[in-house]
Amino acid sequence: MVTREALLALNGVHPKVMQELVGHYSPQITMDIYTHVNMDAKREAVAAVSKAFA
């Protein structure tokens, strides 16, 4: 199950905005709880680096 907060992160909502919406002490806490590196994100990062150095 994907939480609303995880969907916000996946859609590029700024961490500070997310932090204020959920009431955490810091954006880092919010990001640690609601985000994770997935395989699609890793593939996109590798593709971006490859393109930059091609």
Side-chain angles (χ1 to χ4, degrees), residues 27-54:
Q28 187 60 50
I29 292 170
T30 305
M31 299 308 287
D32 287 346
I33 293 171
Y34 295 114
T35 63
H36 61 281
V37 177
N38 62 37
M39 287 306 295
D40 289 337
K42 288 180 185 179
R43 285 187 197 101
E44 290 173 14
V46 169
V49 170
S50 296
K51 184 177 179 180
F53 290 102

